[in-house]
Structures are given as C-alpha cells and as structure tokens.
Amino acid sequence: MRRNPTLVAGAAMVGIVVALALVSVVWTPWPATQVSPDRLWPPGSAHLMGTDGFGQDIFSRVLIGARSCLLVGVVAVTIGALLGVPLGVVAAIDRGVLGRVLMRASDILYAFPALLLAILLAAARGQGSTLTAMTAIGISSIPAFARVARGATLQVLSQDYVLAARASGIRRTTIAVRHVLPNILPVVVVQASVSFGLAILAEASLSYLGLGTPPTTPSWGRMIFEAQPYMYSDLNLAIWPGLFIAIAVLGFNLLGDGLRDLLDPTLREVER
Amino acid sequence: MTATPIYEIRDLVKLYRRGSQEVVAVDHVDFDLMPGERLGIVGESGSGKSTLVRMMAALSRPTSGDIAFEGTSIVGRTDDELTGLRRGVQMVFQDPRSSLDPRMTVGDIITEPLRSRVWKGITRTDRAARLVEVMTQVGLDPQDASRYPHQFSGGQRQRIAIARALAPKPRVLIADEAVSALDVSVRAQVLNLIGDLVAEYGLTLVFVSHDLTVVRHVCDAVLVLRSGRVVEHGPTEQVYVDPQNPYTRQLLASVPRLRRDVNP
Amino acid sequence: MSLLRVDDLTVRFGRSRQPAVERVGFSIEPGERVGLIGESGSGKSVTALAIMGLLADTASCTGSIRWHDRELIGMPDAEYSRLRGEEFAMVFQEPMTALDPTMPVGRQVAEVLRLHEGAPPGRARGRVCEMLSAVGLPDAERVADSFPHQLSGGQRQRVLIAMSLINTPELLICDEPTTALDVTVQARVLELLRHALDVSSSAMLFISHDLAVVSQMCDRLLVMYRGSVVEEGAIADVLARPSHPYTAGLIATADIASVSPGQRLPVIDDFWDVPVDVPGRAGARRPLGSTRRTQR
Amino acid sequence: MSLAALGRRLLSFAVSLLCASAVVFGLLNLLPGDVAGVILGPNATPESIEAMRTRLGLDRPVWLRYLDWLGGLLTGDFGTSALSGDPVAGVIGSRLAVTTWLVVLGMFLALLIALPVGMFAAMRRQRVDGLAASGLSQLGMAVPVFVVGLALSLIVGVKLRWLPANGYVPLTDSPGQWLAHLVLPCLTLGLVQGAVLVRYVRSAFIEVLQTEYFRTARAIGWRRWPAMLRHGLRNASLQIVTVLGLQMATLFVGAIVVESVFALPGLGLYLLQVVANRDLPVVQSIVMVLVALVLVINLLVDLAYTFIDPRLRGDATAASEADE
Amino acid sequence: GCGQSSTETADRQLVVGASVAPNSMDPSTSDAAAISQALLYNVYETLLKIDGDGQLQPLLASEWAVSPDGLTYTFTLRSQAKFSTGAPVNAEAVVTSVERIIDDDAVLPVLKTQMEVVDSVRAVDDTTVEFVLKHPSNNWLYSMAERAGIIYEPTSLADLATTPVGSGPFVFSEWVKGDSVVLTRNESYWGTETRLAGVTFKYYTDANALNAAMLSGSLDVLSNVAAPQALDQFEDSRFTVLEGTTTGEIVLGYNHQTPALQDLKVRQAINYAIDREALRDAVWAGKGPLIGSMVAPTDPWYEDLSGAYPYDPDKARELLAEAGIASGSLTLRLRVPTLPYATPAATYIASQLSEVGIQVQVDELEFPATWIDQVLQQSNYDMTIVAHVESRDISLWADPTYYWHYDNAEFQQLLVEADEASTQTEQTALMKQAAQILSDDAAADFLWLLPNLVVTKSDVTGVQANAPSLSFDMTAAVAPPQ
Ligand SMILES: Nc1ncnc2c1ncn2[C@@H]1O[C@H](COP(=O)(O)OP(=O)(O)OP(=O)(O)O)[C@@H](O)[C@H]1O
Ligand SMILES: Nc1ncnc2c1ncn2[C@@H]1O[C@H](COP(=O)(O)OP(=O)(O)OP(=O)(O)O)[C@@H](O)[C@H]1O
Ligand SMILES: [Mg+2]
Ligand SMILES: [Mg+2]
Ligand code: NI
C-alpha cells in the first residue's frame, strides 16, 4: 500500500465521491430541488457552496449529483463488461467463424463512439435521459472490454498451464472458467476503472449537449450546463460540479493505474 | 521386450502456415515407443521437438500421418474419444513460471488432472490422499499445498509441475525441455528426481531437450531431429559413442566441456 | 595500473533493504579475460551494468569503479557516453531484442563509428562491412541491409559483437552472450569471439552461468553468490581447489559429462554440509520452503 | 504487406462498411417523429402530414428505402435533404472540411504537447518533475472538454478579447480570420487530447526505455535524449500511431462538443441540428460518413503500421495456425 | 436606384447574431420563424408592413380602400416598385403570389388558413389589385402584412427554397446551412436605399455562445438575447441594449384532455401555485412583462391580466382539496422542448407544484422534431411550455383540435365576431372579452412575454426595439464604416 501512492490517492478520491453519494441518501442540508428566492448566494454558512440561479442549494445538489455520477458509471461499466468480456473471451477461444464474427461485430461497434451512439439513442427516444446515456456509454465501451479481454485471454491461452489442463482432458469451457477468467480479471478490473472515468466524462458531455440527465435530477454535468448563463458573474455555480467531476474522473483513473501496478506490473496500457 | 509399442508414429507431418509461406515443423517422422522406454528427443531450437510431442499428447492435430496410442489411432478424435490417452499420458513443460496457473493453489494445480472428466470416479478424499502422496514423492512438503506458485523457487515449481503430471498415475510422461529453464545448480536435482520417479514407477518417458549431455543421463534411446526430420535414432550409448550422422557428430562436438587444464 | 578497478560496489534498487550487489570488489588488467559466474539473480548483470553506468534510475550505487584511474560513479552522462562504445563496450544476452527492430543492422553498427569518430557515411559503410565479415558473416553487404528480424539468432549475436568491437575497446563486457543460442551456434560464436579478442587484444569480462563455457573463454574466474563475490582466482586454481561450497557444487554439477549415465548427479546441496563461513550476507535467507539439505 | 493480405484487409473493410450502413439505417429508422411534422409546423393536420410523408417517400417499406440509400451511397449520391431539398453531399462536404481542419490541427497540437511532455515524463518517471508532468496530464484528462472550451472562450475570447470567442470564417474569405477563429477550438481539442496522449506516449517510451535495444544504444555511447529520439521515437511510434488512429476516429465525433461550444459550423454541430429536425437523409449520411471515417482511419493505421514496422513488411507476418 | 445612389457613403456589412438557424429559405413552405426573421421586409416585401408599434403602414401599396361592407379591398401599388431582378412589382405579381398561397399544395396550412377568407383576387390594372373576401375579416389585412402576404417575383417561384428573390432593400446573397445567411444591399432598390452594405445573419444554437460572440466583438447586433442572465455584461459603453417587446407569449399549456386538468379548480390551483414573477426573475433575469393572457402589449386589445392569479400556495392547496385531490396523489407530466426558457421554467414549476402537493415528472423533448411529434401532434403530454411567437395568435385557442384541446364555444364565437367587427373599437372590445375568458378559465398559465432584448454595438443605430412581427427589420439600421 505504502508503495502505491497512486492507488491510495485514487481510492481516496473515489472514496470521497462514494461518501457524498451515501450521505445524500440519508441527508442533504436542503431539499436539492427546492427553488427559493435566495438566488445566487455566495458560499457561506447557510449554503456551504452557495445557491444557484433558482435559489437551490449547490451543496445539496452536489451530494445528490454524486449518485447520478456513480450510477452512470456502474451501469455503463456493467453493460460494457458483461457484454464485452464474454465477447472477447469467446473470440479468443474460438478461432473459427464464431470468433471472427464476434470480433468483427465488436470492431463495427467500435466505429460508433459513445457520443455518436448517445446522440442517436437519445434522438431515438426523443428525449435525454440518464438511462439512455448510460446505455449508450455502456454499449460503446463494449469493444474496449472485448479487445482487452481478448488480448488477455490470448495471453493466458498461450501459457503452458492451459496446455497442461488440456493434456489432462479438462474441457474448454472449464478452462475458460477456471483458468481464463481469474487470470484476465486484473485487466478487466483496470479497464473497468478507466471506463468508469470515461463514462462520467461522457455523461457530462451529453448533459452539456442536453442529451443526458433530465432537468429535475441533479447531475454534475447538468449543473455546469445550467451554470453557463451565470459564467460571467457567478463562476461559483460551475466550479463546484466541475471540481467534483474532475475528482471523480481523476480518482477512477488513478485507481485504475494503481490497480494495474498492484495486480500486475507487466500489464499493458488499457484501451481508452 | 516383446510387448507391443505404446506409441506407433507413422509418417507424421505437421505444416504451419505463416503468412503465405508454409513451415514444415515435423517432416515424415516414423518411430515406435515401447512401454518402459526412455526416449530422448534432441535437436536445435525450431527443429520440431515441441510440435512432435504436442501431437503425441493430442494437443495439436497432425497435417498428415498417424499416431496410435496403445494400438488405437488418436488422430482426428474428439476430446471425448481420447479418454485412454488423457488417463495415460501427462506432460511437464519448460517454463515453470508459465506452466502453473498463478491464481491457483499448489494443491488445486496438482489435483487438477484428477478433476477432469476422464477421472469421474475420484472423490475429494481420494484426491486429498493422492495429493499428499505425490507431493511427498517429488520432495515437497504437503503442508505447502495451500500456497501459491509464486511463493516457490524455480526448482520447486518444476517439482510442482512434475507432481501434477504424476497425480493421475500416467503410464507415459512427456517432459518438454523440463530442465532447460533451470539454473545448473537446480537442474541436477530435478534430473535426479525424474530419473528416480521413472525408475520407481516404470514410466515410459519422452524427454525433450536441446542438451545432449542431459539426455544421455536420463534416456536409453535418442532421436535426433533436424528441421523436422529424424536424422538419427538409436540407443543412447551407441549414438553418443558412434554417431552415424554428421549432424549428430557436430552437435556432440559443440557441447562445451569443462577445461581443467588451464595454464594461466 | 589496472584497466578497471571495482571496490566495495553496492547496488540497491528502490527502497528495498537487500542490496542486489553488496561490497563487490575486483580488478581487470589490460588484455585479461575474466569470467563472472553465479546462479540466476546473483547480481552478475547488475555488476556489469553498474560498470557501464546503465543501471535503471531506481538503482543507487555506492563504492568505487575506476577506469584508468578515473572514477566512473557519479560521472556526468556526457562524459560517460564518450567512454561507452569507445573505451569499453558490452554485448547483451538476448540477441533477439538487443537490436533496434526498425533499423537496418548496418546502420546500427555504423552509428558506433559515427558517434565516436565522426566517420563519413561512405567510409563507415566500408568499415562496417569489413567488421561484419570479420565476425564471420560471409554476405556482409546483404546482412548490413537486413533488419534484425531477417537474421537468425547467431547472426544477430555476431552483429552485436561486431558493434561492440568495431572501435576496438579496451574492455569488452559480455553478459551471457550465448545463452540464447543453440549449442552448435554457441560453439561457433565463442570461437569467433576468442579470435576477435586475439586480434584486438582487448580485455574481457565474460558473464555466464555455464562453468564449462567460462573455463574455455577465460583466464581468471570470479564467482558471485547472492550479491557478493565469494571466490576469485585463476580458472585452474579455482577448479582444482574451490574454497566455497557453491563453487564446489557448481564444478561438480557442471561436469555432467563426467558422471556416468544413469548415476545420480551431484547437486550443490551436497556441498553445503561442508561447514564454511559464507561471506557476504550473514545468515542469508534460504528460499521459502527450501529443500532440506538431508533430502536425497 | 503482401497484395493478398492487402486485398483481404480491404475486403474486410468493405464488409464492415456494409454492416455499419445497415446498423445506421436500422437505428435511425426507429426514431419517432419525422421531418414531415417539422416542415409543416405546429398547425399541421394529420392528413397534410400523411400527404407530406408520401411526397417525401417516407411511406415506402424500410428495406426498399435502405436499398435506395445504399445504391445512392455507392454512386456517390447521398440523397437530398427532406427539409431544404438540396443534395446532402454538398452540405456534408463543406461541413466536413471545417471538422477536418479542427480535428487535424487539434491532433497536431495534441502531438506537439504530448510528445515532449510524455517523453519527459517517461525519462524522469522516478523524479518529482516527471511525476508532476504525468500528474498534470492525469488532471487534464479529468476535465470535460466543454469545460476547457468554455474557459478558453470566456477568458481569451470574452475577457481578454485576444481572439474571437467563437464562430467561424471560411479560409477562402480571410485566411487570417480563419486561423484566428480556429485557434481556441483547436487548442481545446489539443489540450484535452494531448493530456490523454501524454499517458500513452509516456508508457510507450517507458517500454522503449526498458528494451534491450535501448540499452544497446546507450552502451555504444548515445546519450539519453539522442538515444531516445533515434531509437525510441520510431519504436514508440508503433504504439502511438495505434492510439493516434483510435483517437483521431473518436475525435471526429468528440468534435461535436467542441463545435457546439465554439459554434463552429462543422459536421458535428450540423448533426445535432439535423437530428433535432429528423432530416433523416442527412442524419443517415452524416453518421455514415463519420463511421466510414473511423473505419478508414483504422485501415490507414494498419497500413501505417506495416510502413513503420519492417517486421510486417516481409511476408513473415505473425504466424497463424490454421487447424486449431 | 432612385437616383441618389449612396455607394460612396455605404455603411459596413453588419453581422447579426440569432439563435435558431433556418432550415429552408422559403417562408411559404417551411414554418421556421428564422426564415421570416431574416427575409421579411429585408428581402421580401408585402403590400403593407407592421411597424415598430404594431401599426400597419403602407409598403408596396401606397394606399388601400375598403368597401363599406368590409368585403372588397382595393390596393394601389407604387409604380416605381420593382424586384431586384428588375421586373416590376405589378398587379400580376400580387395575384400570382396570393393565388399560389391559396392553390399550391406545398404551401403551409397556416398560411392557407389565413388566406381562406379570400374569395377572389383580380388585377384591375397594372397598379391596382382588388380582393373580394367571403366575409369581413380584420385579421386578414394583418396577415397581408406578414409572410402570407409576401409578393414573390413570379419567375423565381421554383427556387424559393434556396434562392429567394424579392423587392426589398436587401438581396439574398448566400445561405450557409445552419451557419449563416448573407444579405447585401439592393443597389437598385425602388425606395429609400439602406445605408448598410449588407446584413449577415449568423446563427448560434447555444444562447451562451451567442452572448460570448457579442461580447468578444464578433457581432454587431444581437437579435435577441436568449440567456438574459448575462445581460448586465452588455452594460458597457461598447454596447447599446434595447429592451422591447415581442409577440411571444410563454405559455404553460395544459392538455385539456387530461382528466385532472379538465377541472377548472385544478388549473386555477396550478396558476396560484406558481410565482410567475419569481419564475421570470430566475429564468429570464426579470426581463419581459407578465401578461396574464394570450395578448401582447403591441396589440390594441392588450390589458394587463397578470394579477388574476397572484402567487398563493395556500389558495392552491385549498382549490386542490376542493377538487378532491389529496396531496401527492396527482402526478402530471410536464414535457418541455429543449429551449432556453422552457427547461429552466420546468425545473422551477416542478419545484413549486411539488410544494402544493402535485408531483411533476419533467421530460425534456428534443426541439423541434420530438416535441412537435409528441406534444403537438400526438398530444402525449399533460403540461408543456412553449412561446407562441406569431402575432395575434390568440386565435389558436379557438381551434379545439389544437394541442391544448381547449374547446370553449363562447370564446370561439367572440373571436369570429371580433374578426368580422366593422370598427376597430368594436373589435378591441370583443377581443378584450375573449382574452378575459382565457384568463378566467385558466385555459393555460400565461407565464410571461418573451422580451425583445436587442444588443447592438454602440455605433449601430436604427434598430427597432420592439418585434411586433417575425421580421428582424434591418431596413432602417445605420452604422458608420469602420
Ligand atoms: N503455433 C505455431 N505457428 C506457426 N509456426 C509454429 C508454431 N509453433 C511452432 N512453429 C514453427 O514450427 C517449427 C518447429 O517448432 P517447435 O516449437 O516444435 O520447435 P522446438 O524444437 O520445440 O524448438 P525449441 O527448442 O525452441 O522449443 C519452428 O519453425 C516454429 O517456428
Ligand atoms: N531494475 C531492477 N529493479 C529492481 N531489482 C532489480 C533490477 N535489476 C535487477 N534486480 C535485482 O537484482 C538482483 C540481481 O539481478 P541480476 O540481473 O544481476 O542477476 P544475474 O546474476 O544477472 O541473473 P541471470 O543469470 O538470471 O541473468 C536480482 O535479485 C534482481 O531481482
Ligand atoms: Mg520447444
Ligand atoms: Mg543477467
Ligand atoms: Ni505488403
């Protein structure tokens, strides 16, 4: 631990975000969506981070925003990993038609970057929504997981212990579960961490384009978007959510780097 | 020995495609392996040694030719039809780092062959008993079964690999460069161990190496490969004392020898 | 005066408490061929790299390495670089990876000339081909234009030797130059190396874990064990009267050919029972779950 | 690469394109709402909308429209905009030029930032300044693009008024103005992308630093930086080119955000507009162009690879085992 | 021109920043307001025009006469009027233009409705046109001053969507789709030539980008500030801020088919629950008057009805209780378009309604396509917010099929009577009644009127503060060359 300051820093930052989200479940200083005439207050004792253009308490919104931030990351990463990892593993194990078709599918998917996909999906639903954003970001992270999983699987498959297992008559599916999955886990975890950061950034961008989280749910990306008209006079509105986005993304990136060092120093850079 | 051969290898060919070129890794190889025989396969890097033994263990399919194990062909069989081979043949690989799954305990590694479908009847207690047995045989402390491979030295890891191969009581042990990655100081130990085990259980041994002196020590017959072809095959002593093929002679002559007669 | 004199060299990596090399001292005279032998991880390569000044950034080096009376430890990189490849050179273990895969080998050899002599490209090319022929590469022109992946392991190692000898350095350090090669190729490369050294009359530090090879290449022998030099002397002396159990074991096991087939091979552990005090790390830790000495 | 291998690569590229076109068309034709409503506005009657759909050919079966569109694409005819009635190809062409300038210049800036910083961070990865450099890049990666863009626009454009805060002037109108308008967007893209690149450049060079051939280069007397430039750059560029290719591709899409921050009339901003209008012929074609660009860049990266890496030039490509 | 060519004193080409880009150049077949904004009165002319105070003024017609029964209108055209192609604006051109609106299938239904009342149109001589109406209509003459009344160059009709040709002081020069429309001075304008070299309309989808562009000096005129929170940034000697009115009533529309909203008490409760003044302050920086009904202050029958439902949450809760709605039991979908005023207003309203016990689910629908599809066409909503920018669009409430589904016979009758009223006073009185009904009935919550917040560089003059029509009229603008 002491030897891995990256990991510690990353974990601490992620910890902050998780703590905010947990706290918001039981307590916020003010109702996060309550408008009031106390508009555009600077940070102070009543409102720790001040209030926004609707008189809503920024600190409360930042607290609740941590929830959307984590939710987006968790869902996107889950979609990406659940679909991408098996895809990559199967593509590596089956070098026949199936494997090639899967890899081709993943490559084509790769040509639809998150933002494009989100725009199309959001357009398809006709309205921005957190779910759409999460799905789009998740789907577009599938190829990254697939590639990483495939590469790692190929590497595991080239190890002699797989040959030894085959020589003992162990089935391929058993090999995949017993040897491949545990051994590619570190790479997948690292990728998940990086994808998490990317998902948060993507959600922020989508919110900025008006395709992300809907208006009444506090989300950090949305808060920056809404702070724009006040950019000249009340920078306070944009700084807090901006700061926490940076903390969250930086946290997950550092966590990924730290985990990589911890789990396997020889791991190659993950896909971004 | 009048017994039937345990392996009959006929006109075996293996081609690899490399881009648009073809590489003949094994080129019309023919030989028999008798039960209890200890066969050394020597040759330079890339001469097709590994390819040959992998086909013998049905880990790779020949391009043409036939391999019969205990009288039945193993070529073109599905995994389910290879039960006999899988029970009877085990392998030890070169690199003790990559041949042990870093995320499994030594106990799990050694008993893995017994958990395969070819050994259906074996219970958990049977396996535990066998684990203690083989670990003791190869000179490991059974107490270490819950440790992970990286906690062992190179020589010990190779012992683990050997224990895994011995666990299902195979008739044939194929060792592919089992000592090449080891330090000289450890190599002797492992060689002794293999020699002892083979003698004790009457194993048939296929011992692959590029080091002629090592092969001479454990094997009673040698097969010299060059570019996938057998250039010489005969009893060890005969090959060493009176090599027939110029290539074998060159190989022997190249082995560095300790020079005690240095004059400073 | 010695060509190279190493005193009390200690190398640590990062913050680890165990030094990789501890209080190593030896010297090399002009033209002398010294063998350095020891088990894997005993610190041979680290010693060689310390002399070359090419240790990783994490390494900290103490003690003294003197080259012709000039202290190398702490020498600025610019000055050090002028010595490297010119006065002393090194051949590495892995010929597969020691050459830049994206550059024709001829140009890589020519670089050495240009770096130190500023030779014009035309003349450099001539010298390169000459040198390549000298290390037994018959088709020197073609080889010079090849990329590393188009050459065999033996050819690559010859190119590396050509590279290190082209400026006729006073000292050549070879770190297991033949370990990755086949026996037949190894025999030829060693022969060539001997010949080349005879011509250039350079001194050599030859690292290997194969006692037989060292005995053929060197006059003097250094034995390292867990970071320390445990034995030093003329080859014949050491072989005849090893003073350290590790050396004794090494000699016994190295000579497999002399053990008749089928007999049990001597192992190093056999020699540990002889009580000798091990210099270097007192009470050095045995590897975990270490083989019991009594075990057969 | 052999001719046959090149052929295979091109064939697979074509198959990918075809599949992608089906995906694009399928996805977009699931969208609710159509352009007929937008054209006719708030006061339209259901009958007039039906009539408009018929006029626009929106009532024909989906597969027939797909084939038409595909056939058009193959002959270079991207269809006509349902809203304005003019050919899509021309609009996309002029828009693409803006986006391409943005992406290419942005990437150039990113490289200009990332190469020295990344190399420095790799060289001095154990020192404080090297760590600071990579830490800074980590921080750069954690800030959303639009925040960087807004900040630059606000500070340089509005407060200091050194450069236009946003907007665009075509190169043909006034080269000076054109450049002035592109500086901030390209810088935004360059900073953000550069931060990401630093990471890759750093790790690529760390890898190089640990290779035996780098050690050889040092052993023959190269000093650190020259050795890095002479032997490191080309080898590291193998990895960097891959990353660059991947990023270039996503950049074309990522440019959407930058274009909306800086109101640049590029393809991305246009896409947002036409999606909002459900001008499907245009949306389809833009998405297809973007996707095709990504695929083309991937192809180019593959080819660049064989150009940089001599190991791939001969036929000794990675061995493949046919029967397993 | 008319002799006094002033090329040597020509002012500069002004760059006007605007929010929504046009998607076509034909105002008769595409409903986008941006087309009229750029082209009406600047490029295209009508027989009469609406001036800055909402009054009708002669333009192509020097005078017009109405028969006593209010059915026959006779327009006298200016003989010197001509299109930029050189062709004269004669009675023939007027008849062709009007008949096209009536007969061509491609023309927007709105415009057809406005011209529905025309029974016949006839060229009496080269400069006299006679319209016969089916019944008297006050609205019709007003429509003739807007886009339905544009006089097109008869030979240009085929290419209207891309190359408009008119008789105005500017000629269309270039349209870069989604980015800009360039107009240049009509060197041979029939009337008083403009002093500008031309006008470039530059479009910024993002309201903040528009502000930034103006602040950084890239624009000469900002047609309407869509993010007024930054308005005080323009309080600087570099700029002049003009604050006028538009005809854009921001309406919180109720779907009168939603069962809960059919109850007058519920609608009134909502109106009481919303603090419109605070809402306007938060969302639009306090700019724009509170109106209380669907009438803009530039209309003659304007009355300030904004006091009808003062902010009174208790009253709201009371009314809800009377309507039998328990707190928290009513959930309404507020589906708003992605427009700068709509989403913030939705956030605000959702919060205030939740205080009186109405749950609000806010959906942000992409504008225009999704909003039009979901709200306008399918009426798949309970409440929505949109600004109705057409002038005198109170008539929309008379159409029960329109998306509000407001069906009030009395109101409809009043509107018909007002249209056919023979005097202005009579019409005004009737219209006031109609507006009152909308207010009493809480037909919608009329939030506030979109202000016209024009910013110009301080050397630009002659830009009108009010926007009573869709046109952004640059014909009188003056700016010295730089
Ligand atoms: N999977 C493969 N794909 C393509 N070619 C292969 C593959 N495996 C081996 N070869 C080639 O087949 C030939 C024989 O290889 P093999 O591994 O059997 O040699 P070997 O004698 O075991 O060598 P070593 O001593 O280096 O282990 C070599 O030329 C090798 O490059
Ligand atoms: N860059 C490094 N960072 C940390 N430790 C290192 C580094 N290089 C070497 N070591 C450690 O230093 C010790 C000596 O290593 P060295 O490479 O000198 O061994 P060697 O005698 O050359 O072995 P071999 O015969 O395997 O080449 C080892 O324990 C090794 O782990
Ligand atoms: Mg092999
Ligand atoms: Mg070494
Ligand atoms: Ni080629």
Side-chain angles (χ1 to χ4, degrees), chain A residues 46-191:
Chain A
H47 296 279
L48 199 61
M49 300 176 181
T51 60
D52 67 7
F54 295 132
Q56 304 176 108
D57 179 52
I58 296 180
F59 181 45
S60 307
R61 294 176 73 76
V62 163
L63 281 174
I64 306 247
R67 276 196 327 226
S68 342
C69 163
L70 290 180
L71 185 71
V72 167
V74 167
V75 175
V77 166
T78 309
I79 293 177
L82 278 187
L83 296 176
V85 171
L87 196 111
V89 171
V90 172
I93 291 182
D94 188 318
R95 307 240 219 116
V97 181
L98 178 68
R100 264 182 255 164
V101 166
L102 284 182
M103 233 32 230
R104 167 62 45 79
S106 152
D107 280 350
I108 291 174
L109 203 56
Y110 194 80
F112 291 86
L115 212 57
L116 190 58
L117 206 63
I119 290 174
L120 294 183
L121 276 184
R125 297 204 51 224
Q127 64 191 70
S129 90
T130 320
L131 188 73
T132 315
M134 290 183 309
T135 316
I137 299 167
I139 291 177
S140 63
S141 68
I142 291 175
F145 276 102
R147 280 181 185 215
V148 157
R150 180 168 179 268
T153 305
L154 282 178
Q155 221 229 307
V156 170
L157 290 182
S158 74
Q159 301 289 306
D160 284 341
Y161 57 80
V162 172
L163 269 189
R166 278 179 57 204
S168 314
I170 310 280
R171 283 177 200 281
R172 279 178 189 229
T173 42
T174 316
I175 290 180
V177 172
R178 194 182 288 163
H179 295 288
V180 173
L181 284 183
N183 280 295
I184 68 169
L185 199 65
V187 213
V188 173
V189 167
V190 171
Q191 176 65 44

Side-chain angles (χ1 to χ4, degrees), chain D residues 33 37-43 49 83-84 86 91 95 157-159 161 164-166 168 261 263 265 273 275-278, chain E residues 23 29-31 108 110 162 177-179 202 204-205 209 212-213 215-216 238 366-370 373 376-377 396 402:
Chain D
V38 176
I39 297 174
L40 295 174
N43 307 300
I49 289 184
L83 267 178
S84 64
D86 41 34
V91 188
R95 292 291 189 144
V158 173
K159 296 281 185 227
R161 265 177 275 140
N166 52 30
Y168 182 74
V261 171
Q273 292 166 357
V275 164
N277 285 325
R278 290 291 179 283
Chain E
N23 48 36
T29 55
S30 176
D31 199 44
L108 288 170
V110 219
T162 50
K177 288 175 189 70
D179 181 57
K202 203 136 173 59
Y204 293 81
T205 328
L215 284 169
S216 76
R238 291 190 292 144
E366 207 183 356
F367 188 81
T370 315
D373 179 66
L376 262 182
Q377 288 173 1
L396 293 171
Y402 202 47

Side-chain angles (χ1 to χ4, degrees), chain E residues 174-201:
Chain E
E174 194 191 2
W175 171 34
V176 182
K177 288 175 189 70
D179 181 57
S180 58
V181 171
V182 182
L183 310 181
T184 49
R185 161 218 284 278
N186 180 358
E187 299 291 354
S188 54
Y189 184 51
W190 58 267
T192 319
E193 282 185 355
T194 168
R195 291 183 48 193
L196 300 178
V199 177
T200 302
F201 285 88

Side-chain angles (χ1 to χ4, degrees), chain C residues 13 20 39-46 56 93 176:
Chain C
F13 284 97
E39 64 178 355
S40 186
S42 58
K44 308 184 294 289
S45 300
V46 170
Q93 177 168 0
E176 315 208 17

Side-chain angles (χ1 to χ4, degrees), chain B residues 16-257:
Chain B
Y16 282 119
R17 249 208 352 250
R18 204 186 266 174
S20 55
Q21 287 174 327
E22 282 192 335
V23 178
V24 190
V26 167
D27 195 358
H28 300 282
V29 166
D30 268 291
F31 69 91
D32 285 346
L33 183 67
M34 291 298 170
E37 189 177 346
R38 288 172 294 169
L39 176 69
I41 299 181
V42 290
E44 295 192 343
S45 176
S47 55
K49 308 182 293 290
S50 298
T51 309
L52 175 58
V53 294
R54 275 175 203 199
M55 287 190 289
M56 289 170 69
L59 294 173
S60 163
R61 242 172 261 159
T63 310
S64 68
D66 189 51
I67 304 172
F69 175 71
E70 294 182 331
T72 46
S73 170
I74 59 165
V75 174
R77 300 295 149 118
T78 65
D79 264 3
D80 289 318
E81 295 166 336
L82 290 172
T83 312
L85 181 85
R86 294 289 182 232
R87 281 171 172 247
V89 181
Q90 284 295 317
M91 285 188 80
V92 178
F93 295 93
Q94 169 167 9
D95 187 353
R97 266 186 316 250
S98 88
S99 66
L100 305 178
D101 187 334
R103 276 162 226 286
M104 276 166 84
T105 63
V106 168
D108 283 344
I109 291 173
I110 294 175
T111 54
E112 187 178 24
L114 299 177
R115 284 179 287 155
S116 102
R117 75 204 124 95
V118 297
W119 293 104
K120 280 220 183 66
I122 296 200
T123 64
R124 183 181 291 259
T125 39
D126 290 345
R127 284 205 300 264
R130 182 72 188 141
L131 174 65
V132 174
E133 205 178 330
V134 283
M135 283 188 79
T136 322
Q137 271 171 12
V138 298
L140 291 170
D141 187 347
Q143 305 240 296
D144 289 344
S146 58
R147 292 177 184 273
Y148 287 88
H150 68 89
Q151 296 173 301
F152 291 84
S153 72
Q156 287 174 316
R157 278 186 230 170
Q158 205 58 307
R159 283 166 198 266
I160 297 169
I162 293 170
R164 168 177 56 193
L166 290 181
K169 298 189 180 157
R171 275 150 288 159
V172 182
L173 182 67
I174 300 177
D176 188 0
E177 312 248 15
V179 295
S180 307
L182 301 177
D183 245 16
V184 254
S185 46
V186 191
R187 179 160 69 189
Q189 295 175 354
V190 176
L191 279 176
N192 285 338
L193 175 68
I194 291 177
D196 292 348
L197 291 170
V198 167
E200 203 170 325
Y201 301 102
L203 292 179
T204 307
L205 178 70
V206 178
F207 189 89
V208 175
S209 176
H210 58 259
D211 190 336
L212 287 153
T213 43
V214 167
V215 168
R216 185 182 185 189
H217 230 85
V218 269
C219 299
D220 46 31
V222 189
L223 190 140
V224 184
L225 276 182
R226 187 186 193 189
S227 314
R229 287 173 194 269
V230 179
V231 294
E232 186 137 3
H233 184 189
T236 313
E237 276 319 296
Q238 185 194 315
V239 172
Y240 275 77
V241 177
D242 181 20
Q244 295 303 300
N245 188 284
Y247 176 70
T248 317
R249 255 176 263 147
Q250 192 195 347
L251 218 51
L252 281 168
S254 304
V255 176
R257 271 162 232 275

Side-chain angles (χ1 to χ4, degrees), chain A residues 260-268:
Chain A
R260 176 177 30 243
D261 295 346
L262 184 76
L263 296 172
D264 190 346
T266 60
L267 284 183
R268 292 281 302 272

